Amino acid sequence: MNRQTRKKPILLVALGGNALIRKGQEGTIEQQFKNLKVPIRQIARLSIDYKIIITHGNGPQVGNLMLQQDYCDAVPKLPLEILVAQTEGQIGYMIESTLDEELMEMGIDFRPLVSLITYVVVDKNDPAFNNPTKPIGPGLSKKEADRIEYPVLKTSKGYRRVVASPRPVTIIEKREIQKLIDMDFIVICCGGGGIPVIRKGRAFNGVDAVIDKDLASARLAEEVGADIFLIATDVKGVMLNFGCKNQELLRFMSLKETTRYIKEGHFPVGSMLPKVEAATQFVKTRNKKAVITSIKKIEEAVNGKAGTEFIL
Amino acid sequence: MNRQTRKKPILLVALGGNALIRKGQEGTIEQQFKNLKVPIRQIARLSIDYKIIITHGNGPQVGNLMLQQDYCDAVPKLPLEILVAQTEGQIGYMIESTLDEELMEMGIDFRPLVSLITYVVVDKNDPAFNNPTKPIGPGLSKKEADRIEYPVLKTSKGYRRVVASPRPVTIIEKREIQKLIDMDFIVICCGGGGIPVIRKGRAFNGVDAVIDKDLASARLAEEVGADIFLIATDVKGVMLNFGCKNQELLRFMSLKETTRYIKEGHFPVGSMLPKVEAATQFVKTRNKKAVITSIKKIEEAVNGKAGTEFIL
């Protein structure tokens, strides 16, 4: 490893669901690959000056797999953590192959690049297990929602199934990921927040849950010592009075302001709130840059020209 | 890297479907995890003296996903290569977490261990695209088979869907895998033979196929310079007159004998034949040890005490 490589700062980008499926789209595979080019092209360019870790969500994809299982009694049903693992394979492949193509377009013949299966320890006593809040899968009509046996929540996209979303305690592969970025590998990992497991002595048991991918990404960013933690989503940044006439983009947010705005209820649960919490957690622990921005403005946000930056 | 590490030989183990689902089992997730312990415990012990690469099949799992898609019109259908990617996530996680547990049981606190998404280039002109031969998914009754729109084949397990199985040309992640085993990472990869893609200039396009996992594993074993290529399956080794009264286990097989036995039709297509071809291909290219053995005798076979060994 030369000095140049060692000095490169570590950028962790957490891609939101809209990196794959945009609002109003059905989410065909062609749409998902096309959408991915927007963030991935920017990340490919950033990979020249930064060590890169990419994480991603899986809400629509894991929900689709659950729904398919419901419709089919011909094969054994799989528990939720296995479906999360399946989406890590699916989305990991899509991101990796898209990034491979973008790097080739840039004339980069070889930059080591891997998509890793990742699992994440959660606490078996996490109160989230008794209170499912994480919406997954497609928006359903009332009639469709009545057909399934699981809890649902009425959201802006229709009725959506909700599952438990415990907090991430530690990323099992953190030491491997650390070694890989030390060697300037680009690492795609922690898909869908990671496969949730509880540890019992020398055994891991998968649990019926989906971890919030922003909180898991923040945890990973802390554990591997990231220098910038960027959350890419479908809005320009954190807004006050979001959706109202007087909505206002915040370019900077101090921890004090964050606490106040959360109390005032500016950030919807299961949407902007976990992102704000994840960014805040990272800034508190690492005292480094965290930023929430649009999927289209990743490069600008890294360069301090877009998004909402969190400051101590 | 110390001299000790550099000197360790590279062992590639290709796990057959029965590592996860045994004959006659329905294939619940509990059964799959339990079955996995048998080969993985042996591999954990071997990892002390060998650098380890583990590959695996995905026939039943990918077929189940296809069947679930058929039954459900509520969400967009995904192409076959995406389903292969999903099984890499699923089985990669299962193998990795089982191996983690076995290493902990042995008192090994940390051995770097990753499951990688792997994609594999195939030739767009491969004749296999016009002649689907690879059985996937569960055995179906005649009535169930008539219900689906894809080609099926009558096998010993019932009617099974068949898909194209082109030959692997190169493993995209071979350089990454090489770097990882250089650093003594245990690498789980090439699941289900890898995600099949064709390369068009600077783009990769997934294709509707499932690559034979033994042929893909042989290709990978050549590309990373493995010292032992071991195929673990549900029989003790290569048999002459398999299933007959006079069946005979071959402990050694020369390339000359192999050619003759293939001509005499001793090895069923889609079963023992691709394994024999994969082992032969590896021995021809590398002039190192290839062995086909039972899932229960991996350690014995590595130590030259079980299975069928291929010799020049």
Side-chain angles (χ1 to χ4, degrees):
Chain A
M1 190 188 330
N2 61 32
R3 198 172 296 169
Q4 192 62 31
T5 306
R6 194 184 291 273
K7 274 197 314 198
K8 278 163 79 167
I10 300 170
L11 167 63
L12 188 151
V13 180
L15 294 176
N18 69 318
L20 290 153
I21 304 177
R22 299 222 183 128
K23 213 172 174 176
Q25 287 183 336
E26 190 198 12
T28 64
I29 207 72
E30 293 77 16
Q31 288 170 336
Q32 296 192 44
F33 270 115
K34 195 173 169 222
N35 295 336
L36 259 184
K37 283 193 176 290
V38 174
I40 297 302
R41 184 163 294 168
Q42 298 172 71
I43 294 172
R45 287 191 292 249
L46 288 163
S47 75
I48 294 170
D49 295 321
Y50 293 88
K51 299 183 180 216
I52 302 282
I53 300 173
I54 304 171
T55 65
H56 59 86
N58 74 343
Q61 292 81 5
V62 76
N64 286 355
L65 284 168
M66 278 189 101
L67 206 59
Q68 286 180 342
Q69 288 207 142
D70 284 343
Y71 275 78
C72 176
D73 288 322
V75 299
K77 296 201 191 312
L78 302 171
L80 183 52
E81 80 271 11
I82 298 289
L83 305 186
V84 173
Q86 291 178 336
T87 65
E88 288 194 348
Q90 169 183 351
I91 304 171
Y93 159 63
M94 295 176 70
I95 293 176
E96 183 182 334
S97 60
T98 303
L99 184 51
D100 254 345
E101 292 179 353
E102 292 299 330
L103 291 169
M104 283 192 282
E105 281 292 336
M106 288 167 62
I108 295 170
D109 173 51
F110 178 59
R111 170 78 178 266
L113 170 56
V114 285
S115 281
L116 295 193
I117 302 307
T118 317
Y119 53 115
V120 173
V121 177
V122 299
D123 182 344
K124 71 176 194 304
N125 298 316
D126 194 305
F129 286 113
N130 301 317
N131 179 29
T133 56
K134 170 105 188 151
I136 61 169
L140 304 173
S141 67
K142 183 83 177 65
K143 198 180 151 194
E144 287 170 314
D146 286 343
R147 187 180 180 284
I148 60 175
E149 290 164 14
Y150 306 88
V152 294
L153 186 74
K154 196 176 172 181
T155 74
S156 60
K157 294 184 186 173
Y159 289 86
R160 294 182 75 194
R161 186 179 293 181
V162 284
V163 295
S165 191
R167 295 186 80 87
V169 175
T170 188
I171 315 304
I172 296 277
E173 292 84 355
K174 57 183 177 289
R175 290 174 290 190
E176 283 87 350
I177 295 167
Q178 180 81 68
K179 277 170 179 273
L180 292 171
I181 51 173
D182 278 352
M183 292 194 304
D184 211 20
F185 273 60
I186 298 174
V187 181
I188 301 156
C189 59
C190 235
I195 302 157
V197 299
I198 52 175
R199 184 166 170 176
K200 282 188 188 170
R202 288 175 185 153
F204 295 111
N205 290 107
V207 285
D208 207 31
V210 174
I211 301 170
D212 182 87
K213 76 103 179 39
D214 294 307
L215 292 174
S217 303
R219 197 79 196 87
L220 176 62
E222 292 160 32
E223 293 191 315
V224 301
D227 298 290
I228 304 181
F229 172 42
L230 186 148
I231 297 176
T233 182
D234 54 357
V235 290
K236 285 181 183 171
V238 181
M239 313 268 193
L240 291 187
N241 309 305
F242 180 60
C244 306
K245 267 189 178 169
N246 61 341
Q247 79 172 28
E248 183 193 344
L249 172 71
L250 298 167
R251 283 282 288 119
F252 296 93
M253 233 166 108
S254 69
L255 293 185
K256 216 168 167 183
E257 287 168 320
T258 306
T259 311
R260 178 153 60 88
Y261 297 145
I262 289 176
K263 269 195 196 148
E264 291 175 7
H266 282 279
F267 313 129
V269 178
S271 165
M272 188 51 85
L273 184 61
K275 294 182 204 311
V276 168
E277 285 178 350
T280 306
Q281 179 189 313
F282 176 77
V283 172
K284 271 187 194 164
T285 321
R286 288 274 303 152
N287 191 15
K288 297 261 183 175
K289 177 170 169 166
V291 56
I292 297 178
T293 188
S294 146
I295 217 99
K296 294 177 184 163
K297 305 230 168 178
I298 294 172
E299 275 182 294
E300 285 181 56
V302 167
N303 296 322
K305 289 174 184 158
T308 302
E309 208 167 304
F310 289 72
I311 51 184
L312 270 184
Chain B
M1 193 188 330
N2 61 32
R3 198 172 295 170
Q4 194 60 33
T5 305
R6 194 185 289 276
K7 275 197 313 198
K8 278 164 78 168
I10 301 170
L11 167 64
L12 189 150
V13 180
L15 294 177
N18 69 319
L20 290 153
I21 304 177
R22 300 224 182 127
K23 214 172 172 176
Q25 286 184 336
E26 190 198 14
T28 64
I29 207 71
E30 293 77 16
Q31 287 170 336
Q32 296 192 44
F33 270 115
K34 193 172 171 221
N35 295 335
L36 259 183
K37 283 192 177 289
V38 174
I40 296 304
R41 183 164 294 167
Q42 298 173 72
I43 294 172
R45 286 191 293 248
L46 287 164
S47 75
I48 295 171
D49 294 321
Y50 293 89
K51 299 182 180 217
I52 302 281
I53 300 173
I54 304 171
T55 66
H56 59 85
N58 74 344
Q61 293 80 6
V62 76
N64 286 356
L65 284 168
M66 279 188 101
L67 205 59
Q68 285 181 343
Q69 288 207 144
D70 285 344
Y71 276 77
C72 176
D73 288 322
V75 300
K77 296 201 191 311
L78 302 172
L80 182 51
E81 79 273 10
I82 298 289
L83 305 186
V84 173
Q86 291 178 336
T87 64
E88 288 194 348
Q90 169 183 351
I91 304 170
Y93 159 63
M94 294 176 70
I95 293 176
E96 183 182 334
S97 60
T98 303
L99 184 49
D100 255 345
E101 292 179 353
E102 293 298 330
L103 291 169
M104 281 192 282
E105 281 292 335
M106 289 168 61
I108 295 172
D109 173 51
F110 178 58
R111 170 78 177 265
L113 169 56
V114 285
S115 281
L116 295 193
I117 301 307
T118 317
Y119 51 115
V120 172
V121 177
V122 299
D123 182 345
K124 71 176 195 302
N125 299 316
D126 194 305
F129 286 113
N130 301 317
N131 179 30
T133 57
K134 170 105 188 151
I136 61 169
L140 304 174
S141 68
K142 182 83 178 65
K143 197 179 151 195
E144 287 170 314
D146 287 343
R147 187 181 180 284
I148 60 175
E149 291 164 14
Y150 306 89
V152 293
L153 185 75
K154 197 176 171 181
T155 73
S156 60
K157 294 185 187 171
Y159 289 86
R160 293 182 76 194
R161 186 179 293 182
V162 284
V163 296
S165 189
R167 295 186 80 85
V169 175
T170 189
I171 315 304
I172 295 278
E173 292 84 354
K174 58 182 177 287
R175 290 174 290 191
E176 283 86 350
I177 295 167
Q178 180 80 68
K179 276 170 180 273
L180 292 171
I181 51 173
D182 279 352
M183 291 194 305
D184 210 20
F185 273 61
I186 297 175
V187 181
I188 300 156
C189 59
C190 235
I195 301 157
V197 299
I198 52 175
R199 185 166 168 175
K200 283 187 186 168
R202 289 177 186 151
F204 295 111
N205 290 108
V207 285
D208 207 30
V210 174
I211 301 171
D212 182 87
K213 76 108 178 34
D214 294 306
L215 292 174
S217 302
R219 195 81 196 87
L220 177 62
E222 293 161 31
E223 294 191 316
V224 301
D227 298 290
I228 304 181
F229 172 42
L230 185 148
I231 298 177
T233 183
D234 53 358
V235 289
K236 284 181 182 171
V238 181
M239 313 268 192
L240 291 187
N241 309 306
F242 181 61
C244 306
K245 265 190 180 170
N246 61 341
Q247 78 173 28
E248 182 194 343
L249 173 71
L250 298 167
R251 283 283 287 119
F252 296 94
M253 234 167 107
S254 71
L255 293 185
K256 217 170 166 181
E257 287 168 322
T258 306
T259 310
R260 177 152 61 88
Y261 297 144
I262 289 177
K263 270 194 194 147
E264 291 174 8
H266 281 281
F267 313 129
V269 178
S271 163
M272 187 51 85
L273 184 61
K275 293 182 204 310
V276 168
E277 285 178 350
T280 306
Q281 177 189 316
F282 176 77
V283 172
K284 271 187 192 162
T285 321
R286 290 274 303 151
N287 191 14
K288 297 259 183 177
K289 176 170 170 167
V291 56
I292 298 178
T293 189
S294 146
I295 217 98
K296 294 176 187 165
K297 305 231 168 178
I298 294 172
E299 276 182 294
E300 285 181 56
V302 167
N303 295 322
K305 290 175 185 156
T308 301
E309 209 168 302
F310 289 73
I311 50 184
L312 268 183

